[in-house]
Every structure is written in C-alpha cells, then in structure tokens.
Amino acid sequence: MSRDRRYPLPAKDDDDRFTFGLVVDVADVLARHRYPELTSGDDFVALQQALFRFLYTTSTEPYRLDPTTEES
C-alpha cells in the first residue's frame, strides 16, 4: 500500500460533490457504528466543517504532516 497522502485536495469553488447529502451520509455511517445520531443543526455544521478540513486545502503549499507526530 502506498503511503503517499491523497488528501487534502486543492479546494475548488464549484465542487458539486461536497453537498449536505454527503454530510448526511457520513452522519448515517457514524450512527451505524453506534455513535449518537446527529440531530442538532450545529452538529451537522461541525461535521461539515470537519469534512471540509479533511478533504480540502486552501493552501498553495503541499500538505505535510508534522514530522514529530507522523507515524512511521
């Protein structure tokens, strides 16, 4: 298995994959794994923000992990 990171991706203004439906799907997966069901709008917003931070970067620099915390 390759150890090269694929995420985060460069952020695009028009990425139609990043929808509220994606957030709902991820929330459903969490619930199926016995995490509490998301019922609060604030929780959905927090999950959406966390997904965005994982998926996208707005930096023009290549993403690098902190070498002091990176697993070998």
Side-chain angles (χ1 to χ4, degrees), residues 14-70:
D14 60 351
D15 192 342
D16 62 354
R17 300 171 294 178
F18 193 76
T19 63
F20 186 69
L22 173 64
V23 178
V24 170
D25 288 347
V26 172
D28 289 345
V29 169
L30 291 172
R32 283 197 306 272
H33 285 268
R34 300 187 319 259
Y35 287 92
E37 181 180 346
L38 272 70
T39 57
S40 161
D42 288 343
D43 284 341
F44 278 102
V45 169
L47 180 57
Q48 184 178 36
Q49 291 172 336
L51 282 171
F52 188 89
R53 284 190 302 269
F54 171 77
L55 292 170
Y56 302 107
T57 181
T58 56
S59 172
T60 57
E61 297 295 316
Y63 186 80
R64 300 279 187 251
L65 290 176
D66 179 346
T68 62
T69 61
E70 187 173 357

